[in-house]
Amino acid sequence: MDMLKGMNDALSYIEENLGEHIDLKEVAKIALCSEYHFKRLFSLLSGITITEYIRRRRMTLAAMELKESKVKVIDVALGYGYQSPDAFTRVFQSYHGITPSEARHTEQNLKAYPRMTFQLTIKGGTEMKYRIIEKEAFKVAGVKYEVEMVNGVLTPDYEQMFSAISDERMKELEADSTREPRGVIHVTANYSESAEGKAAFDQYIGAAVTQAPSANYSVLDIPALTWAVFEVEGDWEQVEDHWQRIYSEWLPSSSCELAQGPEILASKDEKSEIWIPITEK
């Protein structure tokens, strides 16, 4: 629960400082967690990056201010950290679809993005089976995709990634598996966020190996980490639901936070394991 309070305290700090430069390192300190944990958890729970959230809140308040006829566009721009009216206009128009000057007209439609808060909601009291393990460093060899996420939409999406790999190559990857987690695994690594609010990460579809195979695969080196490993039975919809519950229920009520490292899904015959790197607070 302390983590949940910390996340909401951080959002209150952001709200109070929308007219100032917001240092996300400072925001993470208020949330009582690492910057990586704060960014990643916010993105997973909300579907947008923290930078995009700040942009939307600023543009929402800026539109309200522009309805006051005596307020100048340049004053609103400077009030939200933009050094020129042109830069402010570009961001405002990309969000609202109209210019700041056009927003003054009462008949124009504008967007409003409400302030966000996090709450712990547990549905149905379904148990979550997990174990904590410490694992030495290992490698993942497989097919690598560079993925971009904008407003929760992935490019390429998972269906495109899977369809690009032949059944024969999938069998090769499964045969290459020599380490736990076994079989063909899906690894999300190197998550980052840009100043424009976009998120990017590398997605590997591959196998955990002792030595990289001779085939032409990309290789990801995974350091020694502590993992929370969750067991899931069921189809992909149940896996997605369980994954969301890890971030929205288990993490806020545990004494752990996300470590900077890859997240892994191992799945076969409707039995899955979700591997999340963690640190103890």
Side-chain angles (χ1 to χ4, degrees):
M1 293 299 183
D2 288 344
M3 191 193 81
L4 203 63
K5 180 180 182 302
M7 294 288 286
N8 285 323
D9 287 346
L11 290 178
S12 295
Y13 172 83
I14 288 171
E15 198 68 22
E16 293 163 5
N17 291 276
L18 287 171
E20 309 293 334
H21 170 70
I22 296 176
D23 184 347
L24 292 181
K25 289 186 174 64
E26 184 62 30
V27 173
K29 286 181 183 177
I30 294 169
L32 304 176
C33 60
S34 69
E35 184 180 0
Y36 177 85
H37 174 87
F38 180 79
K39 285 182 175 180
R40 186 71 176 123
L41 191 61
F42 185 93
S43 175
L44 289 163
L45 292 176
S46 69
I48 62 172
T49 65
I50 184 61
T51 307
E52 175 64 14
Y53 172 74
I54 292 170
R55 184 182 76 92
R56 292 184 185 187
R57 286 297 298 145
R58 283 173 169 162
M59 291 304 102
T60 295
L61 298 183
M64 293 179 182
E65 290 187 26
L66 287 167
K67 288 296 184 182
E68 299 293 331
S69 59
K70 294 181 180 179
V71 175
K72 296 180 180 179
V73 172
I74 189 170
D75 291 336
V76 177
L78 292 173
Y80 288 101
Y82 292 89
Q83 298 305 308
S84 73
D86 288 344
F88 173 72
T89 296
R90 284 195 299 272
V91 175
F92 189 95
Q93 190 166 14
S94 71
Y95 181 61
H96 290 288
I98 59 175
T99 66
S101 297
E102 291 170 334
R104 293 186 182 278
H105 303 307
T106 55
E107 71 273 11
Q108 292 289 356
N109 290 324
L110 296 166
K111 295 179 181 178
Y113 198 84
R115 175 178 173 173
M116 191 178 291
T117 58
F118 290 113
Q119 297 179 346
L120 179 60
T121 303
I122 301 177
K123 299 177 182 178
T126 307
E127 67 180 12
M128 302 179 76
K129 296 181 180 179
Y130 73 94
R131 64 187 188 276
I132 305 294
I133 65 170
E134 294 184 4
K135 186 171 175 59
E136 70 279 9
F138 64 99
K139 299 177 185 292
V140 170
V143 181
K144 175 185 174 183
Y145 295 92
E146 294 179 358
V147 182
E148 186 177 83
M149 182 179 74
V150 181
N151 299 333
V153 178
L154 303 182
T155 307
D157 62 28
Y158 288 117
E159 185 175 346
Q160 291 169 328
M161 291 184 235
F162 297 146
S163 62
I165 304 175
S166 66
D167 291 342
E168 182 180 354
R169 203 166 198 195
M170 282 291 195
K171 290 177 182 178
E172 286 180 1
L173 288 170
E174 188 168 13
D176 287 335
S177 174
T178 57
R179 302 286 299 274
E180 191 183 22
R182 298 285 182 176
V184 176
I185 59 177
H186 311 278
V187 184
T188 301
N190 303 322
Y191 176 85
S192 64
E193 296 180 6
S194 70
E196 292 76 30
K198 297 178 181 178
F201 57 88
D202 295 330
Q203 185 72 27
Y204 291 79
I205 299 176
V209 297
T210 306
Q211 296 293 329
S214 58
N216 187 25
Y217 289 123
S218 297
V219 176
L220 173 68
D221 288 304
I222 298 181
L225 288 166
T226 301
W227 302 84
V229 181
F230 295 82
E231 298 177 20
V232 189
E233 291 192 12
D235 58 17
W236 178 245
E237 185 176 335
Q238 289 168 295
V239 170
E240 283 188 315
D241 178 70
H242 208 87
W243 208 315
Q244 184 67 21
R245 288 184 60 214
I246 293 169
Y247 300 119
S248 63
E249 296 177 20
W250 186 81
L251 273 171
S253 59
S254 75
S255 60
C256 303
E257 69 175 58
L258 288 170
Q260 191 158 355
E263 295 152 33
I264 301 173
L265 171 66
S267 188
K268 186 177 182 180
D269 298 330
E270 296 200 345
K271 290 189 176 182
S272 303
E273 287 188 343
I274 299 170
W275 290 52
I276 304 296
I278 59 168
T279 57
E280 295 282 344
K281 288 186 179 180

